Amino acid sequence: MRRVQVAVMALACSGIACAQDYPAKPLRYIVPFGAGGPTDTQARWVAQKLNAAFEQTVIIDNRPAAGGVPGTAAVVKSLPDGYTLLAGNPGPLTVAPAINANLPYDTLRDFTPVILIAKSASVLVVHPAIPAKNLKEFLALAKARPGRLNYGTPGVGTVGHLSTESFARRTGISVVHVPYKGGVNQYTIELMSGYIEFATMQIFNIAPFVRQGKLRAGRHLAYAFARVARSRNPARAGSDRF
């Protein structure tokens, strides 16, 4: 199983034009998830580039809670002066509005997208003790153990939550959602320790653990790596990657 997550940088909308000397003070870059996760990793890479380009400090402000909604709302509550940025994530920006009519923000009204940061693929990974080495075997196991396989996500309404529930419904399996306030680092540790059985995670976060044998991802991970390798353009050699 594979899903694509898109990361964007956004800021609170403002009718005030930026001064020519912008930025004249440090910028705050709010990440609505915990440190070490994909959104945080991408934001820190962007912060380094902005720091070098603007010669101003870019402060990463992690706000992990409730699937990223409170951290995203914090940007809306800030002064609309261009000094508070959001590490956008599909969960709080697109999924949450579809399942929660009482959000403290309107994605289209309250944010101005700045730039697309990254597109990243995700895969289903399991603890090595799970007796399933491919998707067919995993589905057979899940159907034999309805309601007994647990999966972790950064919270209710996140991309990992919705994509896994969609996968479960389409394949006819019953699995248990375990949301973690601590984000991807917390449930990665729980997964490697065997407290949960599987998760849908981004490739660059789990690839080292798969190589070390601490997690199992099956053939689809190798296929994804092969696609990435084939997509590399020699003409872009030396360009920045993370």
Side-chain angles (χ1 to χ4, degrees):
M1 182 176 67
R2 187 173 73 92
R3 64 181 172 85
V4 174
Q5 178 163 305
V6 179
V8 298
M9 181 169 67
L11 46 78
C13 290
S14 172
I16 303 174
C18 289
Q20 291 183 354
D21 60 350
Y22 173 88
K25 62 181 182 178
L27 291 90
R28 183 169 58 137
Y29 197 0
I30 293 181
V31 179
F33 295 95
T39 305
D40 177 74
T41 301
Q42 293 157 2
R44 290 179 187 276
W45 177 81
V46 171
Q48 291 177 357
K49 301 303 177 183
L50 292 178
N51 195 330
F54 291 153
E55 297 184 348
Q56 278 285 358
T57 301
V58 179
I59 303 169
I60 297 293
D61 184 358
N62 291 94
R63 302 284 188 95
V69 170
T72 301
V75 177
V76 175
K77 296 176 182 178
S78 68
L79 290 175
D81 57 3
Y83 284 89
T84 301
L85 305 174
L86 169 69
N89 180 282
L93 290 177
T94 61
V95 177
I99 62 175
N100 186 350
N102 298 311
L103 287 179
Y105 55 81
D106 181 295
T107 299
L108 296 180
R109 180 195 65 208
D110 295 329
F111 299 100
T112 299
V114 178
I115 191 171
L116 173 67
I117 301 300
K119 293 182 180 180
S120 56
S122 296
V123 294
L124 185 150
V125 292
V126 301
H127 185 272
I130 295 296
K133 296 184 178 180
N134 55 51
L135 186 57
K136 182 178 180 180
E137 292 178 359
F138 177 81
L139 291 176
L141 178 68
K143 290 179 179 180
R145 303 180 183 179
R148 293 170 57 191
L149 296 184
N150 304 300
Y151 72 94
T153 76
V156 174
T158 57
V159 176
H161 178 208
L162 270 292
S163 63
T164 304
E165 288 299 321
S166 175
F167 169 73
R169 176 174 293 187
R170 294 173 66 182
T171 55
I173 63 175
S174 175
V175 292
V176 179
H177 178 218
V178 183
Y180 285 87
K181 293 182 179 179
V184 65
N185 281 350
Q186 185 180 4
Y187 70 82
T188 299
I189 293 172
E190 296 281 285
L191 178 57
M192 291 191 293
S193 300
Y195 292 110
I196 56 176
E197 285 72 35
F198 76 102
T200 303
M201 304 176 69
Q202 291 194 37
I203 288 177
F204 75 87
N205 277 107
I206 53 88
F209 304 121
V210 172
R211 293 192 181 105
Q212 295 166 12
K214 296 179 179 179
L215 295 174
R216 184 189 301 132
R219 292 182 179 180
H220 49 293
L221 182 61
Y223 172 70
F225 282 149
R227 288 191 63 189
V228 171
R230 287 197 301 270
S231 69
R232 291 182 182 273
N233 185 345
R236 296 181 62 187
S239 61
D240 291 322
R241 289 182 177 274
F242 65 93

